[in-house]
Amino acid sequence: MSNTSDKLTLIVEFSDGLDTLIKDDLLKKVDGRPQATLTLASEHSGRPTSIRDLVEYIRDNCIKRNPELFYMENGVRPGILVLINDVDWELTDDGVD
């Protein structure tokens, strides 16, 4: 069982204009690409933190304006790709309810 004080530190890259929605103090450029380092709890509601939890965290804590351009209903808007190590998250177990 994981300790609830355990944290996940993730580097999240925002591209193709999505970076304009993210709070400026969170972003830094690495090799010309806008990135943010985010720290989340390793558990969420008694289960391991998922990519869906990360997307909701970004929506709730990182978007500075127009969250509807990023998030819609139960996930990211159509046309926004969420990639994990260059693989579409919907092809992973976490991308499907």
Side-chain angles (χ1 to χ4, degrees), residues 21-80:
L21 300 178
I22 305 300
K23 295 177 182 175
D24 295 330
D25 61 331
L26 295 175
L27 288 176
K28 65 179 180 179
K29 293 238 179 186
V30 176
D31 295 328
R33 298 183 313 243
Q35 296 180 348
T37 300
L38 305 177
T39 303
L40 290 83
S42 63
E43 288 187 358
H44 182 79
S45 300
R47 59 174 172 68
T49 297
S50 67
I51 298 303
R52 187 171 306 282
D53 297 325
L54 172 62
V55 169
E56 290 173 356
Y57 178 88
I58 292 170
R59 177 199 62 198
D60 296 341
N61 299 288
C62 302
I63 302 291
K64 64 182 173 184
R65 66 175 190 277
N66 302 87
E68 67 278 2
L69 295 176
F70 173 72
Y71 195 88
M72 177 176 154
E73 297 175 22
N74 293 356
V76 294
R77 286 185 66 87
I80 294 179

